[in-house]
Amino acid sequence: MNSKTVGVIGAGAWGTGFAQALARGGHKVELWALESEVVDSINNEHENKKFLPGFKLSENITASSDIEKVATKKDFLILASPSLYLASTVKKLVTIPNIADGDTFIGVLTKGFVPTKKGAKLCLETIENVLPGIYKGNTVYISGPSHAEEVAMGKLTGLIAASENPKNTIIFRELMRVPGIVAYSSLDVVGVQVCAAVKNVIAIVYGICDAISQDSDTFGDNSESLLLAAGLNEIQQLGFAMGATHAETFTSIAGVGDLDVTCKSKYGRNRRFGQDIINKNILSKFKNLDDLIARVNEVGYLPEGAIACKYVYEISERLGLKLVICDGLYKILNCEIEPEDFLRDLLRLKKRVKK
């Protein structure tokens, strides 16, 4: 594919890392950032010191705090806003001529569920209800085991482009044909999105288990693998209940691949949050899960799984599902049960973990 112009809406770690990968492949990328210091850092020092420090960014990357400028006259637009703000961000784009006319291809990096008055929705459903009708069934969801730091370094990473429109999955796959990225296509838009959202929930529980296992005669590596496998089963159960179409989605990089790296990588914010629940008693400053979500900036980083957990709980209740791990984390974050008690009950143990 020849060099393309790309706007990335959201200059967090993942948006910046993805922009760096595209720029490495010769594409011209403009990032939108809400924070003026991020814009200045990228434009003047070629580094996102706030969200992706330590990585020299390509000369092909510029930044702006003008969202309309970033989205205007672009071949591709990539949405990388946090799930809480995705819908409100997209509403700012709909009148831009190349968006209003459907001339720009739109992809989504955001992982999680989007809160609406009618309950939690998946990302593509949410933005397609806001965008001009021409985008219905034509937006693309991008996911896979892809920590921003390694993507920025150019380390080999696999990504999946999922859409109801098979032609658009190929178009995005070609866009991502850059050094360090191996891209695949999928038509299972629901399954891929559910995997991307719920793996963050499982990763928090994995982090809790990992922290407890450091001083435990009960939990260890075997326990964590047991938890990962059980978590994947819950992701698959919810995925099919919501309309996933392909079983192989959950055994692909979108499913087990992304879950594995999110649970185990040193870069994982959700795993870190789970560890901080045990090691730093980070939940003590919050009254319940709603308070945590309202004040999530006080955590110092964004654990998307904590937000997704609320919506997984609501969806599973609505669909009549019993998701033991996800439900347990909801009660932990809602300050209803203790993490150690939950893990012991989950594995039907009688012996307490060492203090």
Side-chain angles (χ1 to χ4, degrees), residues 96-232:
I96 296 171
N98 47 294
I99 304 297
D101 295 339
D103 294 333
T104 295
F105 293 100
I106 295 180
V108 180
L109 297 178
T110 303
K111 296 184 178 183
F113 296 97
V114 181
T116 74
K117 293 180 180 179
K118 296 183 179 180
K121 304 290 184 183
L122 292 169
C123 292
L124 291 195
E125 179 184 8
T126 300
I127 69 167
E128 288 180 2
N129 284 337
V130 175
L131 289 167
I134 193 170
Y135 285 102
K136 194 74 173 179
N138 289 313
T139 58
V140 176
Y141 192 77
I142 301 165
S143 189
S146 50
H147 281 300
E149 293 82 357
E150 292 196 352
V151 172
M153 283 186 272
K155 292 192 174 184
L156 185 63
T157 299
L159 294 174
I160 281 182
S163 178
E164 293 180 24
N165 185 332
K167 181 180 178 181
N168 283 1
T169 71
I170 295 171
I171 289 171
F172 270 83
R173 201 174 69 199
E174 290 299 306
L175 176 73
M176 296 187 291
R177 185 172 287 182
V178 297
I181 300 291
V182 179
Y184 303 89
S185 294
S186 172
L187 300 178
D188 189 1
V189 291
V190 171
V192 172
Q193 290 179 90
V194 171
C195 287
V198 187
K199 56 95 178 183
N200 287 329
V201 178
I202 304 302
I204 294 177
V205 182
Y206 190 97
I208 291 172
C209 184
D210 185 62
I212 291 176
S213 69
Q214 301 306 309
D215 186 29
S216 171
D217 61 358
T218 302
F219 299 109
D221 291 348
N222 294 344
S223 316
E224 292 175 359
S225 290
L226 174 61
L227 182 61
L228 188 148
L232 181 62

